[in-house]
């Protein structure tokens, strides 16, 4: 969820209610070296309690130092990324590439656990490819090293996001460890969450792409699974107000020029769910002036496309 789960989006999701929100992936070395734009990915809101910062890297020193920094910023959990399939990450021997070198991966995990007092969690895939499904083996060693929770995306790295997530395969990890296991991949609503839990035997679910354009979906699933108070899902002018507030918070966070560009993907997802007319969608996504964008949102989110007879 790089470039998506920034602070404005996490704040919005958290307001609806979520067991935990996780930062976009932060490169550990770039974090410590204060590379421009990197620290913003880990920026936390002081009033959001269940916030995890996800770190990626390949060297123990940088991972440990970055963990100390974000724990000092107020992160309640440090999550180690061993699941990202992007070539620019795996070519640097980070993300899911670490599943090819379990011994090295465990040294990174041990360094982070030793560096901080907050819980450390781990996110992986099933393995690098179908011939190396070693998630259960790595999970057991990670548990022994002090990891408090493990999230498994039900695909291998080489699958990227193709096909469907294999929730049943996650059960091998559940059977291998005593710490909580969270199922991830293709979970977008209550139905898919319930099925993923049944097939995997996992203790919980993580929703990623399914929250795009629907920041309330985590609270909706939590309500359906656990009987908590359900969120009020905005429609009509309430939806317009929510999207406008989200947009303006992104402009405030990133600044006018960058904020306009970064916000477009979120506006596109909102309009996907609203069934916005093509002409209105184009106007919203090409407009450069933030005030004009806000003025367009009323029509864009309440005037659905006509269905051909």
């Amino acid at each position: 969820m790089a470039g998506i789960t920034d602070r404005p989006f996490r704040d919005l999701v958290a307001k609806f209610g979520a067991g935990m929100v996780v930062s976009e992936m932060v490169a550990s070395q770039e974090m410590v070296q204060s590379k421009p734009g990197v620290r913003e990915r880990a920026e936390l809101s002081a009033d959001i309690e269940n916030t995890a910062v996800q770190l990626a890297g390949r060297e123990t020193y940088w991972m440990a130092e970055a963990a100390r920094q974000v724990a000092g910023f107020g992160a309640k959990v440090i999550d180690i990324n061993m699941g990202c399939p992007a070539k620019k990450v795996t070519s640097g021997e980070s993300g899911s590439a670490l599943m090819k070198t379990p011994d090295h991966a465990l040294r990174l995990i041990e360094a982070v656990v030793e560096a901080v007092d907050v819980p450390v969690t781990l996110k992986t895939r099933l393995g690098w490819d179908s011939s190396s499904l070693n998630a259960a083996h790595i999970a057991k060693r990670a548990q022994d090293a002090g990891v408090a929770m493990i999230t498994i995306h039900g695909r291998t790295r080489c699958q990227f996001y193709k096909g469907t997530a294999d929730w049943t395969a996650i059960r091998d990890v559940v059977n291998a460890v005593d710490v909580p296991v969270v199922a991830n991949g293709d979970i977008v609503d209550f139905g898919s969450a319930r099925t993923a839990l049944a097939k995997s035997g996992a203790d919980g679910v993580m929703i990623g792409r399914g929250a795009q354009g629907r920041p309330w979906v985590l609270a909706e699933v939590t309500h359906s699974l656990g009987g908590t108070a359900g969120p009020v899902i905005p429609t009509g002018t309430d939806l317009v107000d929510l999207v406008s507030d989200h947009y303006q918070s992104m402009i405030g966070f990133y600044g006018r020029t960058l904020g306009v560009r970064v916000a477009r993907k979120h506006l596109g997802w909102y309009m996907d769910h609203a069934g916005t007319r093509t002409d209105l969608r184009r106007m919203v996504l090409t407009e450069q002036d933030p005030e004009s964008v806000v003025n367009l949102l009323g029509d864009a989110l309440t005037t659905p496309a006509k269905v051909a007879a």
Side-chain angles (χ1 to χ4, degrees), residues 113-134:
V113 170
E114 291 172 3
V116 296
D117 294 326
V118 300
V120 174
T121 61
L122 175 67
K123 186 172 190 290
T124 82
R125 288 190 165 224
L126 296 174
W128 176 258
D129 57 26
S130 58
S131 65
S132 57
L133 302 178
N134 59 350

Side-chain angles (χ1 to χ4, degrees), residues 79-93:
D79 187 56
I80 298 173
N81 182 297
M82 284 175 49
C84 180
K87 185 175 181 180
K88 66 180 180 180
V89 176
T90 58
S91 62
E93 301 176 15

Side-chain angles (χ1 to χ4, degrees), residues 163-179:
T164 57
D166 186 353
W167 298 322
T168 302
I170 297 173
R171 188 173 287 275
D172 288 342
V173 178
V174 174
N175 293 336
V177 298
D178 298 317
V179 297

Side-chain angles (χ1 to χ4, degrees), residues 121-290:
T121 61
L122 175 67
K123 186 172 190 290
T124 82
R125 288 190 165 224
L126 296 174
W128 176 258
D129 57 26
S130 58
S131 65
S132 57
L133 302 178
N134 59 350
H137 170 72
I138 290 174
K140 178 62 169 64
R141 295 183 65 183
Q143 172 190 265
D144 294 343
V147 162
M149 185 178 77
I150 298 167
T151 300
I152 305 292
H153 183 110
R155 290 181 175 88
T156 66
R157 181 273 177 183
C158 290
Q159 286 181 278
F160 287 86
Y161 296 99
K162 297 176 182 177
T164 57
D166 186 353
W167 298 322
T168 302
I170 297 173
R171 188 173 287 275
D172 288 342
V173 178
V174 174
N175 293 336
V177 298
D178 298 317
V179 297
V181 175
V182 176
N184 175 237
D186 296 345
I187 300 169
V188 298
D189 54 21
F190 168 59
S192 54
R194 180 176 57 183
T195 302
L197 288 172
K199 288 187 174 183
S200 67
D203 301 281
V205 295
M206 175 178 284
I207 296 176
R209 291 172 294 159
Q212 294 171 176
R214 302 186 301 158
W216 51 82
V217 72
L218 281 81
E220 192 175 23
V221 170
T222 299
H223 161 66
S224 299
L225 289 174
T228 60
V232 177
I233 300 174
T235 58
T237 57
D238 289 336
L239 177 62
V240 175
D241 290 344
L242 178 143
V243 177
S244 296
D245 288 346
H246 184 193
Y247 181 73
Q248 290 169 330
S249 70
M250 294 189 76
I251 299 299
F253 184 70
Y254 289 105
R256 183 185 179 99
T257 302
L258 180 58
V260 167
R261 297 201 304 269
V262 173
R264 285 174 180 156
K265 56 180 172 287
H266 287 279
L267 297 180
W269 292 321
Y270 285 123
M271 290 189 288
D272 286 344
H273 293 294
T276 303
R277 288 197 333 245
T278 301
D279 60 327
L280 280 173
R281 180 187 179 90
R282 184 181 303 112
M283 291 172 66
V284 170
L285 297 182
T286 57
E287 178 58 58
Q288 301 290 326
D289 177 59

